[in-house]
Amino acid sequence: IQFGGTGAIQVPGGTTAQRPTAAVGEIRYNSDIGLVENYNGNGWVAIDSPPVATNYSGVINVDTDSTITINGSNFRSGAVVTIEGAGVSNSARTLSTTFVNSSTLTAATAATSVNYVGGALFSIKVTNPSGLSTTLSDVGYIDRDPVWNTASGTIATINDQFGSYSPIATLSASDPDGSAIVYSLASGSLPGNVSLNTSTGAISG
């Protein structure tokens, strides 16, 4: 059968739940996914171009929630981001994904509830509602937390009448992934005229 002209032909359509019992080669429009699909003998397969992921930004920390951004093309509303590889003990983790536009997705890492493996490689997979997917393989390592070298407890004792302190004390921490350490006061306050150097960890004044 040939169809001529510059117009279009209308094919049967409906939701996923309304799929008929079909023969190989039959086609229909799936209103749930917004794509034409064909029956290949094993099931209905959407006719679509696969998504393309080019890069990502953000950090996946071992135990701190964050959001990553995946950039690419041909992303569809309803696309899902999955983390795979050693970073999730080779057990794929599907993330809560937000469709921004056809070239941008964001995904919540849910690190406080997912057992990521610190320092391990991970891959990022994007799957469109059609089932077609793309993978950024071994694109990064799961970020690990800094480790204190300075023991907890009393850091320094200052005599209220005399004493020479330069500095009063120096805090020390290291990052197993080699990132720069930034020190900050999480709560409370330092004594009057005393300050914390956020780069060196020195407490002076």
Side-chain angles (χ1 to χ4, degrees), residues 38 87 105 121 165 180:
N38 74 285
L105 301 172
L121 271 171
Y165 308 95

Side-chain angles (χ1 to χ4, degrees), residues 129-205:
S130 65
L132 297 178
S133 64
T134 181
T135 301
L136 291 170
S137 299
D138 297 338
V139 288
Y141 294 87
I142 302 298
D143 180 63
R144 291 172 287 184
D145 295 333
V147 178
W148 280 109
N149 301 320
T150 303
S152 61
T154 300
I155 295 172
T157 301
I158 305 172
N159 190 290
D160 65 350
Q161 294 183 352
F162 61 87
S164 176
Y165 308 95
S166 183
I168 297 169
T170 299
L171 307 175
S172 175
S174 57
D175 188 282
D177 301 312
S179 299
I181 295 293
V182 177
Y183 301 89
S184 64
L185 189 64
S187 63
S189 61
L190 295 172
N193 300 318
V194 173
S195 63
L196 168 66
N197 187 309
T198 58
S199 298
T200 66
I203 299 175
S204 54

